[in-house]
Amino acid sequence: MTDLDSLKYTAEHEWIALDGDVATVGITDFAADKLGDVVFVDLPAVDSGVSGGQVCGEIESTKSVGELYAPLTGDVLAVNDAVVDDPSLVNSDPYGEGWLVKLRVEASAVDGLLDRAAYVALTEGA
């Protein structure tokens, strides 16, 4: 199981696991729960660039269509094809098999993101 305290978070309900200069990104269980059953995921192309805070994809559920925001500026190293083939992974394992993209980023870029306590405080007020 992923150590949720080791992750960084955004107010847009994404989590970021940083390993060197590679950031693995997904959406939180809170977001997955609010979306409902995810039925479609559109992710950025590998080798493309994304800009922090800008829309880089789309997540569609039985309840709504949501935009996926890039939490950081970087280059897309990989996308999770398993999630594209089976979007329900976002609901069933948001911190594991349901990851969305891997980005090459400046490691210091995560410094301004939320820690677990700040994210929990944010969602408890939601």
Side-chain angles (χ1 to χ4, degrees):
M1 173 163 197
T2 301
D3 176 9
L4 301 182
D5 291 332
S6 69
L7 303 175
K8 293 292 190 174
Y9 300 87
T10 70
E12 289 75 32
H13 309 292
E14 287 118 1
W15 58 263
I16 298 95
L18 189 66
D19 182 10
D21 64 351
V22 177
T24 302
V25 178
I27 66 168
T28 66
D29 55 348
F30 177 85
D33 184 57
K34 291 293 184 190
L35 281 169
D37 294 333
V38 175
V39 296
F40 177 77
V41 176
D42 180 41
L43 300 173
V46 173
D47 295 330
S48 66
V50 296
S51 297
Q54 300 298 308
V55 174
C56 68
E58 188 176 277
I59 298 178
E60 183 177 338
S61 72
T62 54
K63 291 182 180 176
S64 67
V65 176
E67 295 177 324
L68 176 66
Y69 292 89
L72 303 165
T73 297
D75 298 319
V76 179
L77 299 176
V79 298
N80 188 350
D81 290 328
V83 164
V84 173
D85 293 340
D86 181 7
S88 70
L89 290 172
V90 173
N91 296 105
S92 64
D93 191 9
Y95 298 103
E97 296 297 316
W99 67 272
L100 299 175
V101 297
K102 292 183 184 280
L103 306 173
R104 182 173 313 282
V105 300
E106 293 287 330
S108 63
V110 300
D111 292 346
L113 299 177
L114 303 172
D115 63 15
R116 181 72 182 165
Y119 181 71
V120 168
L122 174 76
T123 55
E124 287 179 349

